[in-house]
Amino acid sequence: MTDKVVTKNKVISIAYTLRLSSGDLIDESTAEEPLLYLHGAGNIVPGLEKELEGAGVGAKVSAVVSPDEGYGQRIGDPQEVPRSAFPEGAELQEGMAVVAEDEQGQQIPLFITSLTEETVTVDPNHPLAGETLHFEVTIVETRDATLEEIAHGHPHGPGGHHH
Ligand code: ZN
């Protein structure tokens, strides 16, 4: 037995593919350039985090994650808003996430789906909302997270955050 298993407060390196039910490849990483995440910190969707819990180095995990445990169900429709609704000089790009505040001061993530000179179309849905996610994951490495990583809620160093 090895103690190198996926558990809370470990930095996990994974090689993976993410496909939709249609078979479309959305994202991937390789053993040479793995994705790093901090387990238990919500860096990855809850359904995948749950499936990887307890897996050892070298383990291959197939996970089918429902929208509820992935990027959520679709909520509401895209809306066109004037560019003036954004701070002057804000660099807006398609696919970018921005945060809006509602009247109660609650923060709402919005995703920019298209832009014109005058308007910005924002969608309350993550681009993968409503999708069932099909992951094929290999656990490449695990290590203990540093206290700083745990405080920040993400991994540092190669493959992690640089700041
Ligand atoms: Zn950090």
Side-chain angles (χ1 to χ4, degrees):
M1 276 298 284
T2 167
D3 64 348
K4 293 186 79 78
V5 299
V6 175
T7 185
K8 192 170 163 59
N9 293 340
K10 288 210 176 193
V11 172
I12 316 299
S13 306
I14 59 173
Y16 78 102
T17 58
L18 166 57
R19 288 176 192 279
L20 303 182
S21 296
S22 62
D24 285 356
L25 181 67
I26 296 301
D27 219 344
E28 62 183 328
S29 69
T30 61
E32 292 71 40
E33 287 186 60
L35 173 79
L36 266 66
Y37 78 95
L38 177 61
H39 194 77
N43 295 173
I44 60 174
V45 295
L48 182 60
E49 198 157 60
K50 216 181 282 181
E51 292 282 338
L52 296 182
E53 174 78 33
V57 168
K60 293 185 192 306
V61 179
S62 297
V64 179
V65 174
S66 68
D68 285 330
E69 293 198 299
Y71 291 101
Q73 302 288 353
R74 294 192 65 82
I75 41 160
D77 295 312
Q79 279 185 38
E80 208 174 60
V81 297
R83 277 211 184 227
S84 58
F86 293 87
E88 208 172 321
E91 290 201 21
L92 305 173
Q93 279 177 9
E94 232 179 272
M96 204 172 132
V98 293
V99 178
E101 257 187 28
D102 69 11
E103 292 92 38
Q104 284 81 44
Q106 258 211 330
Q107 299 208 316
I108 308 166
L110 297 170
F111 301 88
I112 296 177
T113 56
S114 64
L115 295 160
T116 69
E117 299 226 330
E118 298 295 320
T119 64
V120 180
T121 303
V122 291
D123 191 334
N125 299 289
H126 185 281
L128 295 177
E131 297 282 359
T132 297
L133 311 171
H134 301 256
F135 291 97
E136 297 289 338
V137 181
T138 302
I139 311 296
V140 177
E141 186 57 280
T142 72
R143 67 168 169 83
D144 291 329
T146 65
L147 291 176
E148 193 185 46
E149 287 173 323
I150 292 167
H152 287 195
H154 55 227
H156 294 159
H161 279 242
H162 299 275
H163 60 95

